[in-house]
């Protein structure tokens, strides 16, 4: 059974460029969560999606950040016009139900130059 | 959001048991207690979870206090591969009782000495 997959594992962008992070949940899981981790800190919740719907985006910055989880294909976290402060590890998790255990992917490490 | 408190770091000798404590004095009656660990440069890995009774699995044991205000993750024989940051997280039981996102603290960094 494949776990949560994220790609790319490492992403380097210059300031002002766009970053697209992809997450394929565990097969059969329809709930996806995105978290961000700054160096030496715990993970911070960003957004929770359930197939085609954003359920909770309370942790996601209002500008430049967006997320989607289409009917077909992976979930995408998109960061427009990246700044150095966006440099972090971004983790995706999935679960089969809203209150069930979340399983995390290996993360995408974004470095903004 | 219910909060957990853990020591910043702990050390253990290899092959010895490790007891990782977590305080959660504001826990509600419907919150599950989850433990995850994060190895360097990896995503959090599920370890164990419980509600009221002690739980065992192949990775660890979870001892939950009778009043549920604290819990302890027990690694029976620490190995070098157990060196990681261990997070204690509260998770609501039903969709009507609170949030469904994980609230991570800073966790406990476990160092295992050879």
């Amino acid at each position: 059974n494949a776990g949560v997959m994220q790609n790319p594992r490492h992403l380097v962008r210059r300031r002002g460029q766009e970053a697209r992070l992809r997450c394929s949940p565990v097969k059969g899981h329809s709930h996806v969560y995105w978290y961000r981790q700054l160096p030496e800190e715990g993970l911070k919740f960003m957004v929770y999606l359930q197939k085609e719907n954003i359920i909770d985006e309370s942790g996601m910055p209002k500008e430049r950040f967006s997320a989607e989880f289409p009917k077909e294909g992976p979930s995408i976290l998109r960061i427009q016009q990246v700044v150095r402060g966006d440099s972090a590890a971004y983790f995706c998790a999935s679960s089969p139900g809203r209150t069930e255990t979340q399983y995390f992917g290996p993360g995408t490490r974004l470095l903004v130059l | 959001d219910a909060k957990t408190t853990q020591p910043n770091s702990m050390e253990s000798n290899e092959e010895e048991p490790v007891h990782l404590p977590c305080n959660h004095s504001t826990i509600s009656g419907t919150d599950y207690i989850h433990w995850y660990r994060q190895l360097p440069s990896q995503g959090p890995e599920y370890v164990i979870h419980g509600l009221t009774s002690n739980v065992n699995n192949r990775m660890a044991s979870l001892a939950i206090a009778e009043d549920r205000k604290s819990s302890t993750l027990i690694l029976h024989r620490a190995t070098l591969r157990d060196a990681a940051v261990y997070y204690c997280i509260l998770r609501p039981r039903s969709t009507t009782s609170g949030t469904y996102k994980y609230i991570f603290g800073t966790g406990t960094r476990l160092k295992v000495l050879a």
Side-chain angles (χ1 to χ4, degrees):
Chain A
N1 289 327
V4 177
M5 293 191 289
Q6 292 187 248
N7 67 80
R9 293 293 306 276
H10 299 272
L11 183 61
V12 180
R13 285 287 178 265
R14 297 191 181 280
R15 281 179 297 170
Q17 291 184 319
E18 178 179 288
R20 276 182 180 245
L21 287 61
R22 293 174 187 78
C23 168
S24 295
V26 173
K27 188 176 180 181
H29 287 191
S30 58
H31 299 255
V32 165
Y33 312 78
W34 285 92
Y35 295 81
R36 177 165 65 176
Q37 185 175 35
L38 296 172
E40 304 303 319
E41 293 187 12
L43 281 71
K44 297 281 195 295
F45 168 80
M46 298 182 72
V47 62
Y48 160 46
L49 309 101
Q50 183 182 358
K51 275 296 183 182
E52 300 185 88
N53 294 306
I54 295 176
I55 307 300
D56 182 351
E57 55 183 347
S58 59
M60 196 157 68
K62 297 270 188 289
E63 297 179 356
R64 303 188 298 109
F65 285 73
S66 62
E68 62 177 20
F69 188 17
K71 189 176 180 181
E72 301 291 337
S75 175
I76 306 285
L77 180 67
R78 183 181 176 205
I79 311 172
Q80 296 178 289
Q81 299 174 341
V82 295
V83 301
R84 288 211 173 115
D86 296 332
S87 295
Y90 291 83
F91 293 96
C92 167
S94 74
S95 68
R98 178 177 281 209
T99 60
E100 296 182 58
T101 299
Q102 296 178 19
Y103 295 91
F104 285 81
T108 293
R109 280 148 187 84
L110 172 66
L111 175 62
V112 179
L113 301 177
Chain B
D1 293 324
K3 187 178 174 181
T4 61
T5 304
Q6 301 175 253
N8 286 335
S9 63
M10 291 183 65
E11 281 189 2
S12 172
N13 293 318
E14 202 176 6
E15 304 291 317
E16 290 186 357
V18 181
H19 291 233
L20 297 165
C22 180
N23 287 320
H24 28 78
S25 56
T26 60
I27 191 170
S28 75
T30 55
D31 285 345
Y32 277 100
I33 302 159
H34 284 243
W35 283 82
Y36 282 76
R37 70 180 185 182
Q38 187 176 23
L39 279 66
S41 300
Q42 295 188 27
E45 176 188 25
Y46 168 78
V47 178
I48 200 167
H49 77 280
L51 184 63
T52 55
S53 303
N54 294 345
V55 185
N56 299 297
N57 66 21
R58 64 174 179 81
M59 289 182 71
S61 295
L62 175 60
I64 301 172
E66 198 169 328
D67 63 5
R68 300 209 329 124
K69 292 186 185 301
S70 66
S71 61
T72 302
L73 178 70
I74 303 165
L75 306 179
H76 296 287
R77 289 178 64 210
T79 70
L80 296 177
R81 289 182 297 178
D82 291 324
V85 177
Y86 287 78
Y87 295 101
C88 169
I89 302 163
L90 301 183
R91 177 69 183 264
R93 183 179 185 179
S94 74
T95 57
T96 59
S97 66
T99 60
Y100 27 76
K101 58 202 177 199
Y102 286 161
I103 308 296
F104 283 81
T106 51
T108 296
R109 185 174 297 276
L110 175 65
K111 186 175 180 180
V112 180
L113 306 174

